[in-house]
């Protein structure tokens, strides 16, 4: 079979993350706006099923994904309960990427302060759609700005620079003599329960001697993969985000243990 | 970061709107057919979660989106309960776009009569897939025709011209001495309740003195955005479709008020 | 309207089929990895809502789609309950396509033995992501390998050849004097009930004289399309997969008849 040997053109990538769902054409409309300005972008959906108005879930997903995209990727994120209010619209440039979205913390986990080159307050209406609504800045502000960024327009042209943006603070892990206490931050599609405890938090401890407990559930040892336990059995592992996760092989841990984000998780050394 | 400065090529855009869902590969198959004929198109999903066989919902979504795409975009729409019957397959050319789909009203709201350049009855089997099914014209008729249109094939080549197509009639707004009565036409992903009352219908009235009622729910005044009311409070606004919408900030108005498309909505001047 | 007349470049196509859902950015991350290696591919989603860990459903969907893609398409499929275990990772080359995924039967229906040119065991870590997880080979192994294949890398470079791979066996149709007995293999988005009985199985029989029964449901005759029966009535037809399907026009046959995959379906000649 013939395979192309030469790359004619490296299209810029624009990723999209929203809580718009995929039923109503909102996301398709944003893509139409982008392609009307720059027909040669590669568009990638991160997720449009962020729980409505759940800024933290959106911020975690954006952080989980951004590092795997080509340098210069433009990530548009819209979970925006304050649309139409005084909340600011932002373009954030980091060492490796651009982020476009509302100033409500959504962009903050993917763009930690030490990676930020510039934060621009989007005020230059020249780059917005003309017939602007008060309810859909994804279409009217964020999509056209992202498209213009993908054409190489300099960030300064979109508005004045800011010294800071809204930042989310995730719950912190607490360290005790006997171990540590973290909490559930996200439940994924499979019902896997993801905590705020990182691989680095576990580094000091031998993996087999850790006891993970959540209410009256107790699991001994951290394993390498789901396949290390029997079908239907619970497993604790470091997941693809680099975080401690409680799973049930081929099942839903969230359902089995009845937990939601915010639920405490204890690690003790046995 | 390096950004491309030169556009090597402007790929034609094909959008897709169906009630096929995203579970069964039906949509992916249509894209495979399109890319087999024209590998250089940009494919955009509008929605594949139109409620099964709901032609009106599909037509409203198509209308809400088409105006935001580049000129010459080819919109393929398949909500097609009559597939395999005598219903005709159409290619509709307007001043700004092409529409491909069944002749059941689905294309009619996005292609009002005064924008239509040509309506073609798709009869030339040369542009269909060879092994044609009676149940999946999205794959066998509409996708290949759209791909051939994207290659610049003239509309006349696909079949004879028609003088008219099936047109949906949305419920009409009724004007009284005391105000007007419209109805719910769509519920979106957030549970926002969209009516057939337009911004133009409201033009004559001062926005603060309008009382919107639906059963025993009453809301005074039309606001600019969701953020104008408290979290959990209802709001009436003109939405991104340019239609009157009843929302609940960070909640679902459809659930709160228990309404479905067809439900009457009254506006009175107070 | 201007239409492009010249194809500057034929981008390779990579399709994606997973049970990852579309909520968690897992699929977007795979696309980021692919575009980081080859920015000029066309990415197509087949489905990401394969029921979790349902290898058979994934294999059926992949088979239903692969034939409609351009020659040389690379299909990445990840339904992978054994991720992190000793199950092998594969690149399968057939006469018309490439398949990348776990060696658990998922690729086997789309790549029947008589079409296979080469089966490669993916062992060359040079083509994997460096920071490899034990839970997300879609990101760390399958996506980067597919991207390198799309750049024209020879299959032999990814690892040693194998003589065979895991193959699924679907339930077989049984032939009696009075007719035949098959079974339900898939329920689609519309609730259509798809069986393992093929168009070829029906060839010997006159279509009107076939009686299809499933528990106490009985339908006489095989029709050409859904539109051949009244709205709400059941219909038996050959669907777009070329398989016998039991449908309810504008309704859900699966709900009406309460059946799941595995349920027996009888055909008798009347």
């Amino acid at each position: 079979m013939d395979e192309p040997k030469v790359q004619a053109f490296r299209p810029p990538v624009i990723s999209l993350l929203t809580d718009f769902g995929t039923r109503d054409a909102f996301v398709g409309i944003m893509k139409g706006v982008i392609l009307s300005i720059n027909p040669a972008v590669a568009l990638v959906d991160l997720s449009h099923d962020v729980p409505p108005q759940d800024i933290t879930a959106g911020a975690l997903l954006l952080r989980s994904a951004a590092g795997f995209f080509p340098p210069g990727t433009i990530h548009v994120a819209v979970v925006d309960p304050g649309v139409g209010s005084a909340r600011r619209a932002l373009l954030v440039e980091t060492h490796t990427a651009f982020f476009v979205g509302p100033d409500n913390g959504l962009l903050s986990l993917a763009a930690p302060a030490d990676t930020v080159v510039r934060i621009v307050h989007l005020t230059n209406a020249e780059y917005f759609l003309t017939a602007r609504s008060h309810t859909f800045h994804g279409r009217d502000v964020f999509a056209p700005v992202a498209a213009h960024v993908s054409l190489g327009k300099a960030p300064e042209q979109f508005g004045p620079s800011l010294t800071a943006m809204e930042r989310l603070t995730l719950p912190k892990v607490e360290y005790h003599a006997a171990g540590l206490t973290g909490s559930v931050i996200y439940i994924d599609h499979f019902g896997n329960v993801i905590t705020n405890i990182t691989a680095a938090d576990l580094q000091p401890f031998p993996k087999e001697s850790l006891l993970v407990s959540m209410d009256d559930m107790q699991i001994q040892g951290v394993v390498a993969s789901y396949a290390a336990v029997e079908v239907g059995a619970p497993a604790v592992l470091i997941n693809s985000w680099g975080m401690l996760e409680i799973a049930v092989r081929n099942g839903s841990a969230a359902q089995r243990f009845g937990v939601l984000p915010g639920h405490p998780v204890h690690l003790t050394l046995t």
Side-chain angles (χ1 to χ4, degrees), chain A:
Chain A
M1 278 170 286
D2 281 321
E3 295 300 326
K5 293 294 180 293
V6 177
Q7 301 303 327
F9 175 61
R10 189 179 183 93
V13 179
I14 297 181
S15 94
L16 300 165
L17 175 136
T18 74
D19 63 350
F20 293 166
T22 49
R23 227 187 54 192
D24 298 322
F26 294 134
V27 174
I29 290 169
M30 289 177 66
K31 293 178 181 174
V33 169
I34 290 170
L35 291 169
S36 297
I37 295 167
N38 184 357
V41 292
L43 294 163
V44 176
D45 299 303
L46 290 188
S47 172
H48 301 294
D49 292 316
V50 175
Q53 294 98 29
D54 190 338
I55 294 165
T56 303
L60 286 166
L61 291 175
L62 189 58
R63 178 175 73 177
S64 79
F68 293 95
F69 278 75
T73 293
I74 301 147
H75 300 283
V76 181
V78 193
V79 179
D80 194 12
V83 63
S85 75
R87 74 95 186 89
R88 297 180 292 199
L90 299 183
L91 165 63
V92 179
E93 182 182 359
T94 69
H95 292 306
T96 52
F98 295 97
F99 298 89
V100 180
D103 184 20
N104 60 13
L106 179 64
L107 311 178
S108 66
L109 300 183
D114 60 345
T115 67
V116 170
V117 173
R118 196 190 321 259
I119 302 172
V120 174
H121 183 188
L122 299 174
T123 57
N124 188 350
E126 190 186 325
Y127 299 110
F128 302 165
L129 283 208
T130 326
R132 203 145 86 251
S133 76
H134 295 283
T135 60
F136 192 7
H137 284 189
R139 179 189 74 188
D140 302 335
V141 175
F142 302 125
V145 164
H148 286 292
V149 172
S150 80
L151 288 169
K153 208 72 78 188
E156 307 86 277
Q157 298 189 258
F158 296 93
S161 284
L162 301 173
T163 52
M165 62 175 171
E166 290 290 323
R167 293 205 161 271
L168 293 185
T169 38
L170 290 180
K172 285 213 161 48
V173 174
E174 290 165 34
Y175 303 87
H176 323 288
L180 48 85
T181 298
S183 60
V184 174
I185 54 170
Y186 190 77
I187 310 286
D188 78 12
H189 165 74
F190 294 98
N192 296 322
V193 170
I194 305 178
T195 73
N196 62 342
I197 301 167
T198 64
D201 288 326
L202 298 192
Q203 195 94 61
F205 310 111
K207 288 205 167 28
E208 325 73 56
S209 54
L210 281 169
L211 182 76
V212 178
S213 58
M214 199 167 60
D215 300 329
D216 52 2
M217 177 221 81
Q218 294 201 325
I219 305 170
Q220 180 74 43
V222 175
V223 296
S225 75
Y226 307 121
V229 303
E230 297 296 305
V231 168
V236 175
L237 43 73
I238 298 297
N239 74 2
S240 70
W241 294 11
M243 310 295 269
L244 190 86
E245 174 181 301
I246 298 156
V248 164
R249 183 169 177 195
N250 294 13
S252 165
Q255 251 174 40
R256 169 88 68 91
F257 303 117
V259 295
L260 289 171
H263 205 94
V265 177
H266 305 280
L267 256 82
T268 46
L269 213 58
T270 57

